[in-house]
Amino acid sequence: MSAVTATPTAQLARPLSPVRSLLTMTGLETRLLTREWAPMLFAFIFPPMMMLVLAGVFAADDGEEFLHLNGTDYYIATYLGVPMAAVALIGLPVALAGYRERGVLRRLSASGVSRLTVIGSQVLVTALLVVIGAALVLAVAAPVYGLPEVQNLGGVVGAFALGAAMMLVLGVALGLLVSTARSAQALGLLLFMPMWLLGGGGPPAGVMTGPMQTISDFLPLTPVTTAVRESWLVGGDVSGPLLQAAAWLVGGLVLVALLLWRCGRE
């Protein structure tokens, strides 16, 4: 994912096959990101910092509000899913909206690179950043608190992959919905903060008021953090949260298709 100040248009001078174009664009976006990494600092620093604070504050709690799980383990497992929302909702939309604002998508399309190729390259780079962000949470937690035993590794990986795909699709939709990078950044933060606070990264659902629990239940991050946490710490059935996340994914794909159709008419 590149910052909005960089454009790869000039580096794609001749038409390429779709796969070659995707790989080339992904490589270009990765190199651009290494030079324009400052906008991603929040997405990488905020989740592990908050995990450290909350896991320490609630270390002695294992009551009903934490589902009778250790408070430290509860937040370590939950925060594995937070970086995907931070990266996908704050970084990805800014890059896509910036490309639209400055006419990069239109110029790339004129040179034979489709919008889907550009979006695909942004998604691949952002997916890598999501994995790095999650690994950073674990790397920070391990020496301080230790990592809880994983009860269902396949469930954790599956829930993480589905949640990441869903968040990336929503990030693409946001980037296509707004017309400027500033708007994308503002809306991304506006969406991320309540989603983080009520979707697992803040107080547990057991201490929320009824209206707050209702809002939490409808946030796309909630089923992801729930499925990851339950798979990691309990190993039980998480089909309900996974179906909810899948519904968000399908809805996001439909929205992206409609927004791409709209962009094609502009």
Side-chain angles (χ1 to χ4, degrees), residues 81-123:
V82 173
M84 66 178 67
V87 175
L89 295 179
I90 297 174
L92 178 57
V94 171
L96 285 178
Y99 276 6
R100 291 182 61 227
E101 179 183 8
R102 299 168 57 242
V104 175
L105 290 180
R106 187 167 54 252
R107 294 199 298 272
L108 284 172
S109 180
S111 66
V113 181
S114 70
R115 286 185 172 89
L116 287 178
T117 298
V118 179
I119 293 171
S121 67
Q122 293 278 353
V123 167

Side-chain angles (χ1 to χ4, degrees), residues 74 194-206 208-226 229 244 248:
Y74 179 96
M195 196 179 300
W196 155 73
L197 189 61
L198 300 177
M208 295 181 189
T209 63
M212 291 296 101
Q213 287 188 22
T214 300
I215 295 173
S216 174
D217 289 341
F218 282 96
L219 293 174
L221 184 60
T222 301
V224 178
T225 56
T226 299
R229 183 176 59 245
Q244 188 178 351
W248 274 104

Side-chain angles (χ1 to χ4, degrees), residues 83-218:
M84 66 178 67
V87 175
L89 295 179
I90 297 174
L92 178 57
V94 171
L96 285 178
Y99 276 6
R100 291 182 61 227
E101 179 183 8
R102 299 168 57 242
V104 175
L105 290 180
R106 187 167 54 252
R107 294 199 298 272
L108 284 172
S109 180
S111 66
V113 181
S114 70
R115 286 185 172 89
L116 287 178
T117 298
V118 179
I119 293 171
S121 67
Q122 293 278 353
V123 167
L124 288 176
V125 174
T126 307
L128 175 62
L129 297 178
V130 167
V131 174
I132 294 174
L136 184 59
V137 168
L138 300 182
V140 171
V144 180
Y145 302 117
L147 298 179
E149 181 181 357
V150 178
Q151 301 299 321
N152 182 358
L153 180 60
V156 173
V157 173
F160 182 87
L162 177 60
M166 179 260 290
M167 283 295 171
L168 289 169
V169 168
L170 295 181
V172 170
L174 179 59
L176 295 174
L177 183 64
V178 298
S179 57
T180 68
R182 287 184 178 272
S183 298
Q185 185 177 48
L187 285 176
L189 282 169
L190 190 63
L191 291 173
F192 170 75
M193 295 308 292
M195 196 179 300
W196 155 73
L197 189 61
L198 300 177
V207 302
M208 295 181 189
T209 63
M212 291 296 101
Q213 287 188 22
T214 300
I215 295 173
S216 174
D217 289 341
F218 282 96

